[in-house]
Amino acid sequence: YEISRSDWSSDVCSSDLFPSHDTIDISNLDEIERKTFYSCVRFLVAPNIVKGDVLIIDVDCLIFKHLMNFNADIGLFFRQDHRTNYVDPFWKIKVKRLMAGIVYINHIHMDFLHYVKEFIQTNERRWYADQVGLIKAHKTFKNKKYIYFSPDYLDWHMRNGSYIWAGKASTKRSLKYQNKMAYFNNMFPIKDTL
């Protein structure tokens, strides 16, 4: 992964957020493998670039409130609804129990993130690989101090007062989500200078 903060001017992005790119050849991957790669790449890149605490969220999430400092080693989001009973036929575990849309890692506990990265790299590129890696890391690192995010930290019902709205497929098609996304795009326009 090749990253150079000096390559990006301050009017393109802030000093705390900056783009990166990789040179991994994915031309030999089929469509499902490519989708899986793109959904997992944040867990592959983060251990290489993060120097402090990190909050990894889905790119299509909308953040509405300041996200407080978390008094924990690791933060995860476990679902509390009926969909958590789904057992994926490939992974043979309840993959929808833990959502990969928001993950917090204290910089002292990067071993957790390295475990997830290693899992993703050494297993098949199948859908839910990131979630399975997180579930297995959670089971492996039992002695960590965890915070479990409440539904207002990854809200796909788009409730007022939530910290983050999740951009799930049906959510992204809703007028409410699209209007709020347009609001943010106008507030923080991305300059096409690349």
Side-chain angles (χ1 to χ4, degrees), residues 23-31 33-34 37-38 125:
T23 56
I24 295 172
D25 180 13
I26 61 168
S27 61
N28 62 333
L29 302 180
D30 65 30
E31 182 180 355
E33 290 174 322
R34 275 195 308 280
F37 172 80
Y38 286 124
R125 287 191 178 98

Side-chain angles (χ1 to χ4, degrees), residues 11 36 51 66 72-73 77 94 96 121 123-124 128 133 139 142 144 152 170 177 188:
D11 62 339
T36 301
K51 302 287 188 265
H66 174 75
D73 304 333
F77 184 89
K94 296 179 181 180
K96 293 187 177 186
Q121 288 179 322
N123 282 277
E124 286 191 50
Y128 303 118
K139 288 180 180 178
K142 294 178 181 165
K144 304 267 187 213
D152 56 341
S170 60
Y177 179 90
F188 305 105

Side-chain angles (χ1 to χ4, degrees), residues 21-80:
H21 70 278
D22 60 57
T23 56
I24 295 172
D25 180 13
I26 61 168
S27 61
N28 62 333
L29 302 180
D30 65 30
E31 182 180 355
I32 291 172
E33 290 174 322
R34 275 195 308 280
K35 286 181 179 180
T36 301
F37 172 80
Y38 286 124
S39 73
C40 295
V41 74
R42 58 197 158 161
F43 296 107
L44 302 175
V45 173
N48 301 337
I49 64 174
V50 172
K51 302 287 188 265
D53 298 357
V54 62
L55 183 68
I56 301 171
I57 63 170
D58 285 342
V59 70
D60 51 5
C61 284
L62 301 177
I63 302 171
F64 292 98
K65 294 182 181 180
H66 174 75
L67 299 170
M68 62 186 186
N69 294 328
F70 304 109
N71 184 22
D73 304 333
I74 309 292
L76 299 171
F77 184 89
F78 283 90
R79 288 176 73 158
Q80 303 299 320

Side-chain angles (χ1 to χ4, degrees), residues 136-153:
K136 291 188 177 288
H138 181 253
K139 288 180 180 178
T140 300
F141 296 98
K142 294 178 181 165
N143 295 328
K144 304 267 187 213
K145 181 180 178 186
Y146 288 91
I147 182 173
Y148 300 107
F149 294 110
S150 62
D152 56 341
Y153 275 90

Side-chain angles (χ1 to χ4, degrees), residues 118-179:
E118 180 71 19
F119 177 86
I120 293 168
Q121 288 179 322
T122 58
N123 282 277
E124 286 191 50
R125 287 191 178 98
R126 301 288 295 243
W127 204 244
Y128 303 118
D130 52 352
Q131 289 167 251
V132 175
L134 289 165
I135 290 167
K136 291 188 177 288
H138 181 253
K139 288 180 180 178
T140 300
F141 296 98
K142 294 178 181 165
N143 295 328
K144 304 267 187 213
K145 181 180 178 186
Y146 288 91
I147 182 173
Y148 300 107
F149 294 110
S150 62
D152 56 341
Y153 275 90
L154 197 61
D155 180 5
W156 50 88
H157 299 291
M158 300 176 296
R159 292 178 287 251
N160 292 330
S162 292
Y163 285 90
I164 300 172
W165 284 1
K168 299 299 175 202
S170 60
T171 303
K172 287 192 282 193
R173 289 190 294 271
S174 77
L175 188 58
K176 187 174 184 178
Y177 179 90
Q178 290 178 6
N179 286 341

